[in-house]
Amino acid sequence: MQPIKLAIVVGSVRAGRIGPTVAAWVRGIAAARDTIEVVDVDVADFELPNTLVPNDDTERFTRTIGACDAFVFVTPEYNHGVPGSLKTALDTVKYEWRAKPVGFVSYGGLGGGVRATEQLRQITAELHMVSVRDAVSLHRVRKRFDNEGGIDDAAAVDALGRLLDQVEWWADAVAGARERIDYPG
Ligand SMILES: Cc1cc2nc3c(=O)[nH]c(=O)nc-3n(C[C@H](O)[C@H](O)[C@H](O)COP(=O)(O)O)c2cc1C
């Protein structure tokens, strides 16, 4: 079987952000599977205007998303919500998200970003995506990583493994379904 193309999407663009550190940890675990080909997608690498007026970068972003089979969104929580940069990225693309699975790795202060994840479940349902049940939540994120970018937290590693298992299962299921019949959306 071909490995699935799994995009690990960094949702924050803030100066001094920790998002890439969290994404690198996810990447290390996902890329160790020979069933997964990781595609790194950093929202900060694209000029995505919140006017939603198309430009070269919105088209490049849309093509990038279209080439992927599944997603892990790595998201902080800002004021109990999804960062605006990730919401704009989600709003920029329409058909290319559809009928594809997504899992959530959130992080934050005391809350661990769980409210951002629950908002993303609503948003991704509207985009015809399949969100998987298991999620990772990292509270007090700035204190979690060692110098090598690892996390000494067996529960988080276990949750990420289950998230990836579920994303892979759905990616396989919907890929087969898409071959048989166009998605009715
Ligand atoms: C504007 C802003 C709002 C925040 N609101 C929350 C919050 O509601 N809940 C939480 O757990 N952490 C909150 N934090 C803490 C962030 O989750 C934490 O700083 C995290 O590192 C931000 O991700 P980033 O570094 O990738 O931008 C907030 C941080 C900022 C900058």
Side-chain angles (χ1 to χ4, degrees):
M1 214 167 66
Q2 286 276 92
I4 63 160
K5 282 197 168 66
L6 176 76
I8 298 175
V9 181
V10 179
S12 76
V13 298
R14 191 178 65 84
R17 66 198 173 138
I18 200 171
T21 303
V22 182
W25 170 69
V26 175
R27 171 183 235 291
I29 291 174
R33 298 184 175 204
D34 56 14
T35 46
I36 290 179
E37 177 189 335
V38 172
V39 179
D40 297 303
V41 179
D42 188 341
V43 168
D45 289 339
F46 299 84
E47 199 65 47
L48 303 178
N50 56 19
T51 58
L52 303 182
V53 175
N55 63 26
D56 287 351
D57 266 15
T58 61
E59 285 170 27
R60 184 167 62 92
F61 186 67
T62 300
R63 282 197 304 275
T64 301
I65 299 307
C68 294
D69 304 309
F71 303 90
V72 173
F73 292 158
V74 176
T75 184
E77 177 175 296
Y78 292 161
N79 295 318
H80 291 194
V82 181
S85 49
L86 181 55
K87 182 61 165 62
T88 298
L90 285 160
D91 294 340
T92 297
V93 176
K94 191 170 181 181
Y95 303 105
E96 288 77 4
W97 296 122
R98 288 190 174 180
K100 295 178 183 175
V102 58
F104 307 112
V105 174
S106 70
Y107 57 92
L110 289 178
V114 291
R115 290 160 289 223
T117 285
E118 293 310 312
Q119 289 184 358
L120 283 167
R121 290 192 191 283
Q122 294 183 354
I123 296 162
T124 54
E126 181 61 15
L127 290 167
H128 298 259
M129 301 179 84
V130 186
S131 74
V132 303
R133 187 266 190 187
D134 280 272
V136 179
S137 160
L138 302 173
H139 64 280
R140 300 181 75 212
V141 66
R142 295 247 161 218
K143 301 194 185 304
R144 301 298 286 279
F145 291 92
D146 60 29
N147 289 339
E148 280 74 49
I151 293 186
D152 184 18
D153 181 344
V157 174
D158 184 56
L160 180 56
R162 278 181 280 123
L163 180 162
L164 292 172
D165 290 346
Q166 292 161 17
V167 164
E168 284 197 59
W169 190 93
W170 277 107
D172 181 52
V174 297
R178 273 203 306 263
E179 272 172 26
R180 286 195 302 279
I181 185 166
D182 286 341
Y183 177 72

